[in-house]
Amino acid sequence: MPFENPPPLCVKWRSYCSSVWPFLFFLCSLGHTVSCQIRYTIPEELKRGSLIGNVAQDLGLDIQRLRSGRARIVSGQSIEYTELQTDKGILVVNERIDREQLCGDVTPCSFSFEVILENPMELHPVKILIQDQNDNPPQVLYPVQSGGSVVAEMVPRSADVGYLVTKVVAVDVDSGQNAWLSYKLQKATDRALFEVGLQNGEIRTIRQVTDKDAVKQRLTVIVEDNGQPSRSATVIVNVAVADSFPEVLSEFTDFPHDKEYNDNLTFYLVLALAVVSFLFITCLVVIISVKIYRWRQSRILYQSNLPVIPYYPPRYSDTLGTGTLQHVYNYEVCRTTDSRKSDCKFGRAGSENVLIMDPSSTGTMQRIQNEKSILDEPDSPLE
C-alpha cells in the first residue's frame, strides 16, 4: 500500500465545475486537458506487482473511462518501473526499484511520468517518491584492509593521554538516518590503553603509555548504521607502540594471524584429513571383500563332487591311442634285416588300417598282416 495518498483534488474540482452554470462547466471541461498532479511515496526494493496507488479513485475516474480513453503512461522518467492496469484502475510496480541505483546521493529520490486519456484528451502528471531502506552495510575507507601485508599505526612511548592514534573512516550509501554511523571498540589487546570515538571514529589513548606496554597492539572496531535492522562492518587496526622504526619491523615480522583465519584453516585441515581417511578405509574394505569373495569361490569349486569330463579336440586320436596325430596321417616304418636295404612304407588310411582286438588271441591281425607282406617281397633275404 502507498505510504501517502493525496486528497482527491481532481474529484473536488470536478464537483465544483458541475455545480456552476453551463458556461463555467464548459470552461471547466476545457481544463480537463491538463489536470492536477497525483503523488505517491513507496519504499524501495518492492517486489514486482506491488501496489503503488489507485489511479482511478485518486483521479475521480471510473474503470470504463480508463478503458474507453485508452489510458496509458507516456513521456515519463523511468516509466519501466511502473505499470498501469486499466482493468483495475491501479498502478503497480513493474520492476524492482533500487534507490541508490536510481538517484545515487540525490535526496529526495523521485521520478515522474504522465497518464494520458483520449476522447476527451486528459493528461495527469504522476510523481513517485522513493523512500530509502537500510539495504546496504557501511563501507570502511580507512584503514585499508590488506590481506598480505600488515599495516600498523605508530604510537611513541612518550605519548600522553588523548594522543590521536588514527581515525576510522567509513561511509554508508543509504540516506537519512540509515546513513548515520557509530563506532565501537569490540576487542583489543589492551582495552585500558585505547578508546574509539562513538561518532567520529577517532582512536585515542586513555592513559599514559609506559615501557611495559606491548609493542604489538591489535584493535577490532565495529561500525554500525542507524537503520532498522542495523547493519555493520568490522575493521582491524594494528598499532605499534615504539619509538623507532627498526623496533617496529623486528616485532611485526612474526605478527600472529587473525584467530578467525586460524580457526578456519584448522577446520579445513581436519575436514580434509577426515575425507582422506574415509576414502582409504573404504578402498581397504572393498579390496578385502573382493579377496574373500574370490577365496570362497575357489573353495567351493575345490570341494565340489562333480565329475571332471576331459575335453579332446576334434579329429585327434581317441583314448585308446598313444599319439596325438590324426588317424588319417599315422605312419608305419618298416625295416629289413639287411642294413644296406631299407625302405619306408607309408601306411594306408586309418579307415583301412583297423586295429582288431580279440580277447582270446595273443596278437593282433595288424602284426600278422605285416609279417606276411614282408615274406611275400621278392628281395626278402628269407626266401
Side-chain angles (χ1 to χ4, degrees), residues 100 132-143 145 168-184 198-199 201 221-236:
E100 290 74 28
D132 181 69
Q133 299 295 304
N134 190 30
D135 55 345
N136 294 282
Q139 299 177 3
V140 178
L141 302 181
Y142 185 84
Q145 301 297 287
V168 178
V169 181
V171 296
D172 197 321
V173 295
D174 293 325
S175 65
Q177 66 177 5
N178 295 329
W180 298 349
L181 301 179
S182 60
Y183 304 84
K184 298 179 182 178
L198 181 63
Q199 304 297 332
V221 180
I222 183 170
V223 185
E224 296 181 344
D225 58 22
N226 197 37
Q228 296 296 330
S230 177
R231 293 179 177 267
S232 63
T234 304
V235 57
I236 303 297

Side-chain angles (χ1 to χ4, degrees), residues 124-151:
H124 303 283
V126 179
K127 186 176 184 179
I128 307 295
L129 298 176
I130 307 300
Q131 189 179 53
D132 181 69
Q133 299 295 304
N134 190 30
D135 55 345
N136 294 282
Q139 299 177 3
V140 178
L141 302 181
Y142 185 84
V144 179
Q145 301 297 287
S146 58
S149 59
V150 177
V151 179

Side-chain angles (χ1 to χ4, degrees), residues 107-166:
T107 54
C109 179
S110 65
F111 63 94
S112 304
F113 55 88
E114 288 78 28
V115 176
I116 187 173
L117 291 88
E118 300 176 357
N119 301 320
M121 181 69 68
E122 295 184 16
L123 192 64
H124 303 283
V126 179
K127 186 176 184 179
I128 307 295
L129 298 176
I130 307 300
Q131 189 179 53
D132 181 69
Q133 299 295 304
N134 190 30
D135 55 345
N136 294 282
Q139 299 177 3
V140 178
L141 302 181
Y142 185 84
V144 179
Q145 301 297 287
S146 58
S149 59
V150 177
V151 179
E153 304 289 340
M154 289 190 59
V155 177
R157 294 190 179 274
S158 59
D160 203 349
V161 179
Y163 178 84
L164 178 61
V165 179
T166 186

Side-chain angles (χ1 to χ4, degrees), residues 101-368:
Q101 182 180 3
L102 179 63
C103 300
D105 297 333
V106 178
T107 54
C109 179
S110 65
F111 63 94
S112 304
F113 55 88
E114 288 78 28
V115 176
I116 187 173
L117 291 88
E118 300 176 357
N119 301 320
M121 181 69 68
E122 295 184 16
L123 192 64
H124 303 283
V126 179
K127 186 176 184 179
I128 307 295
L129 298 176
I130 307 300
Q131 189 179 53
D132 181 69
Q133 299 295 304
N134 190 30
D135 55 345
N136 294 282
Q139 299 177 3
V140 178
L141 302 181
Y142 185 84
V144 179
Q145 301 297 287
S146 58
S149 59
V150 177
V151 179
E153 304 289 340
M154 289 190 59
V155 177
R157 294 190 179 274
S158 59
D160 203 349
V161 179
Y163 178 84
L164 178 61
V165 179
T166 186
K167 181 178 180 179
V168 178
V169 181
V171 296
D172 197 321
V173 295
D174 293 325
S175 65
Q177 66 177 5
N178 295 329
W180 298 349
L181 301 179
S182 60
Y183 304 84
K184 298 179 182 178
L185 182 61
Q186 188 178 33
K187 57 182 179 179
T189 304
D190 188 356
R191 298 186 66 93
L193 183 58
F194 303 101
E195 67 176 358
V196 180
L198 181 63
Q199 304 297 332
N200 53 23
E202 295 180 350
I203 300 178
R204 296 180 178 271
T205 57
I206 56 178
R207 64 171 176 82
Q208 182 73 37
V209 180
T210 63
D211 295 337
K212 296 181 180 180
D213 293 326
V215 176
K216 296 180 292 185
Q217 300 284 336
R218 169 166 290 192
L219 310 177
T220 302
V221 180
I222 183 170
V223 185
E224 296 181 344
D225 58 22
N226 197 37
Q228 296 296 330
S230 177
R231 293 179 177 267
S232 63
T234 304
V235 57
I236 303 297
V237 180
N238 298 315
V239 179
V241 180
D243 294 326
S244 61
F245 190 71
E247 183 182 358
V248 174
L249 290 180
S250 61
E251 291 291 337
F252 275 80
T253 51
D254 57 345
F255 198 91
H257 294 285
D258 190 74
K259 183 177 182 300
E260 183 179 356
Y261 173 77
N262 292 332
D263 293 342
N264 293 336
L265 181 60
T266 303
F267 170 75
Y268 289 126
L269 289 177
V270 172
L271 180 62
L273 180 61
V275 172
V276 172
S277 302
F278 174 77
L279 294 177
F280 173 75
I281 295 174
T282 303
C283 294
L284 190 62
V285 170
V286 171
I287 293 174
I288 294 175
S289 302
V290 172
K291 293 289 186 182
I292 294 176
Y293 175 77
R294 291 181 178 178
W295 178 78
R296 292 187 62 185
Q297 292 294 325
S298 62
R299 294 289 298 175
I300 291 174
L301 293 177
Y302 178 77
Q303 296 177 359
S304 177
N305 295 325
L306 296 177
V308 179
I309 302 176
Y311 170 75
Y312 295 97
R315 300 181 63 83
Y316 279 74
S317 60
D318 54 10
T319 56
L320 297 178
T322 58
T324 59
L325 295 176
Q326 301 179 8
H327 288 289
V328 294
Y329 295 106
N330 285 337
Y331 301 96
E332 291 182 357
V333 178
C334 300
R335 292 186 179 183
T336 61
T337 56
D338 190 358
S339 61
R340 294 173 300 176
K341 294 181 179 182
S342 63
D343 57 354
C344 291
K345 181 182 178 182
F346 293 97
R348 291 171 293 179
S351 59
E352 297 179 0
N353 190 8
V354 180
L355 182 63
I356 303 175
M357 297 295 297
D358 189 358
S360 60
S361 61
T362 59
T364 61
M365 294 297 295
Q366 178 75 27
R367 184 177 179 182
I368 296 174

Side-chain angles (χ1 to χ4, degrees), residues 87-104:
D87 56 340
K88 299 179 181 179
I90 59 176
L91 193 67
V92 298
V93 176
N94 188 43
E95 185 178 344
R96 185 183 65 88
I97 303 175
D98 187 355
R99 193 204 68 84
E100 290 74 28
Q101 182 180 3
L102 179 63
C103 300

